[in-house]
Amino acid sequence: MPMQTEYLIIGQGISGSFLSYYLRKEGKDFIVIDNNNSRSPSKIAAGIINPVTGRRLVTVWKVDEVLPFAWDAYQHIGHELNITAISQKSIIDFFPNPFMRESFLQKIGTGDKYVHPYPEQNHFNNFFNYDLGCGEIRPVYTAHLETLLPAWRQQLQKENKLLEEDFDIAQLKVEKNKVHYKNITADKIIFCDGTSSFENPFFKQLPFAPNKGEALVLHIPGLPDQHIYKKGLMIVPLAQPDLFWVGASYIWDFDNSDPTETFRQNTEKALQQWLKIPFTVVEHRSGLRPATLERRPFVGFHPVHTNVGILNGMGTKGCSLAPFFARQLTDHLLYEEPIAVDAGIERFKKILMR
Ligand SMILES: Cc1cc2nc3c(=O)[nH]c(=O)nc-3n(C[C@H](O)[C@H](O)[C@H](O)COP(=O)(O)OP(=O)(O)OC[C@H]3O[C@@H](n4cnc5c(N)ncnc54)[C@H](O)[C@@H]3O)c2cc1C
């Protein structure tokens, strides 16, 4: 049976979920196609939304806009779905070496609003080995993608807006004002399909740079869950009691996206030295981040095929960037609002027109 819609969205990771959420809010008609790949980064991420990152505690891009936006966005969608989609935490940063301790103290000295001393230095002695003390980063949030994505999927299914299948780009026909895919005709198509876009004939010229990440899920009974713990690795509480995510690796050079024995062994070894309480590994996750050379997302419509769009390139920060740019793309589509210059694919116009 032929189907007619306004928007065809490919992918229901965190990008496609928030894009469909905002389009639905605006009363727009759409269909989402998603193959439910268990290795997609949205299914294996920790969900951390943090204001500073890396060894030098660099303040993240657009933090003052993106952090409060993410908190509100997850609160709203969670409220509508009757789930907890986001929690507020703080990161307890155990200094792994004197250099990192010094960096942290210097950052506090600058009056940074996210980096704080932790007054009770012995507070975590029952749980962790740490000789060089700790500091605190706050506010930090965890997005509960493991709860949110299935709940949103169920909502879409209830409304007959989700097709669970592989999208085959060979069957896409793009005309000036319409796109056709199998029995579906849509005004526009928007790719939110993570690393699949790297092969997409419309967008493969964009400077994508896939990055492999692995993580373990641990059962750690008794570890308090109001913090994220960091010492090289991060231990992040998941929604289910006593379950914690531990990771992640950050690899540019890899042969495939499979979990590796090396990561598992090294992580378990590091945990044995750091954690004082018992843990068991319940899962080993691995996948490819849709990262980009410039570490900025790709948002907008193709300069020639103006009904073909993309919301992608979220890299290591999809949990905070996806809601923000899904809203921007929606406002661009419906109200002709501009897309941030450093995220819009307009910046690659020449390359995309070749
Ligand atoms: C180990 C690890 C840890 C991470 N931790 C964090 C974190 O703590 N905080 C953070 O902000 N980010 C984190 N990230 C990054 C984050 O996961 C990504 O930025 C984000 O999930 C990207 O979301 P997306 O929706 O753009 O893409 P994806 O998650 O890749 O979603 C794409 C969707 O499209 C579907 N799809 C793809 N191709 C097809 C096709 N041909 N047909 C049908 N469906 C298709 C997939 O099944 C998937 O559902 C982490 C990543 C990894 C790997």
Side-chain angles (χ1 to χ4, degrees):
M1 210 174 62
M3 287 161 86
Q4 193 86 31
T5 190
E6 288 173 282
Y7 301 99
L8 182 57
I9 298 173
I10 312 304
Q12 192 241 323
I14 195 62
S15 298
S17 292
F18 268 103
L19 182 63
S20 52
Y21 173 68
Y22 288 124
L23 287 174
R24 183 176 173 276
K25 251 186 166 354
E26 298 283 343
K28 295 289 156 190
D29 193 37
F30 59 84
I31 292 170
V32 179
I33 298 181
D34 184 274
N35 59 8
N36 211 7
N37 178 357
S38 61
R39 285 227 188 141
S40 80
S42 296
K43 292 219 179 73
I44 64 178
I48 308 163
I49 298 177
N50 55 354
V52 294
T53 186
R55 295 173 139 249
R56 293 187 184 273
L57 302 159
V58 176
T59 306
V60 306
W61 183 56
K62 292 191 185 295
V63 65
D64 292 335
E65 288 173 90
V66 163
L67 236 70
F69 187 91
W71 174 254
D72 285 347
Y74 285 96
Q75 287 272 53
H76 281 118
I77 194 171
H79 185 70
E80 284 174 39
L81 294 170
N82 209 9
I83 57 163
T84 303
I86 192 164
S87 299
Q88 183 159 348
K89 307 281 174 192
S90 75
I91 295 179
I92 303 299
D93 194 338
F94 298 106
F95 309 128
N97 55 50
F99 164 78
M100 302 280 275
R101 180 189 159 88
E102 198 44 44
S103 275
F104 202 98
L105 298 179
Q106 273 176 16
K107 193 86 178 177
I108 293 174
T110 65
D112 188 277
K113 62 179 169 182
Y114 300 113
V115 176
H116 309 274
Y118 195 81
E120 294 175 67
Q121 284 289 303
N122 294 326
H123 188 78
F124 300 98
N125 270 339
N126 291 339
F127 301 104
F128 292 101
N129 291 307
Y130 57 106
D131 303 331
L132 296 170
C134 61
E136 189 176 28
I137 299 169
R138 64 179 144 77
V140 174
Y141 307 116
T142 52
H144 301 300
L145 302 194
E146 71 276 18
T147 314
L148 172 61
L149 295 184
W152 184 242
R153 192 175 190 87
Q154 213 176 19
Q155 180 71 32
L156 295 176
Q157 277 164 336
K158 232 173 19 192
E159 297 174 8
N160 284 325
K161 289 185 188 303
L162 187 114
L163 297 178
E164 186 162 318
E165 61 182 52
D166 269 322
F167 175 80
D168 172 14
I169 200 152
Q171 300 200 51
L172 176 70
K173 290 189 189 66
V174 175
E175 290 173 2
K176 204 163 183 313
N177 293 314
K178 291 265 176 255
V179 300
H180 303 279
Y181 180 72
K182 296 185 178 171
N183 60 337
I184 304 171
T185 299
D187 297 339
K188 294 187 193 299
I189 183 167
I190 304 172
F191 289 95
C192 307
D193 55 351
T195 51
S196 292
S197 278
F198 298 17
E199 311 295 328
N200 182 314
F202 298 98
F203 295 117
K204 66 181 178 198
Q205 301 96 313
L206 293 174
F208 283 107
N211 180 281
K212 180 171 177 179
E214 292 186 57
L216 301 180
V217 176
L218 305 184
H219 184 231
I220 320 179
L223 187 62
D225 68 359
Q226 66 270 44
H227 304 295
I228 293 169
Y229 306 96
K230 180 177 169 211
K231 192 178 177 193
L233 291 168
M234 298 256 229
I235 301 183
V236 184
L238 293 174
Q240 210 177 316
D242 295 336
L243 276 195
F244 293 82
W245 178 104
V246 180
S249 58
Y250 190 79
I251 313 283
W252 292 108
D253 193 13
F254 50 85
D255 296 327
N256 55 49
S257 63
D258 296 342
T260 64
E261 202 45 43
T262 312
F263 174 81
R264 183 175 173 139
Q265 281 171 6
N266 290 346
T267 305
E268 284 192 47
K269 204 163 137 197
L271 286 167
Q272 274 148 8
Q273 285 166 4
W274 182 24
L275 259 175
K276 286 182 172 173
I277 55 175
F279 65 87
T280 38
V281 178
V282 295
E283 206 186 317
H284 184 172
R285 301 175 174 181
S286 181
L288 300 184
R289 300 175 179 95
T292 70
L293 278 184
E294 308 169 303
R295 297 168 195 223
R296 295 288 177 265
F298 298 146
V299 185
F301 284 84
H302 194 281
V304 179
H305 308 283
T306 52
N307 47 358
V308 181
I310 188 164
L311 178 64
N312 206 324
M314 300 296 159
T316 57
K317 300 266 178 291
C319 297
S320 50
L321 296 182
F324 186 80
F325 285 107
R327 183 70 247 184
Q328 242 184 45
L329 189 59
T330 305
D331 290 342
H332 177 70
L333 268 170
L334 307 186
Y335 307 113
E336 292 174 23
E337 294 285 340
I339 292 167
V341 175
D342 35 9
I345 57 167
E346 177 74 17
R347 69 195 194 275
F348 298 110
K349 192 172 171 180
K350 277 196 191 142
I351 298 174
L352 290 170
M353 286 177 81
R354 269 184 213 152

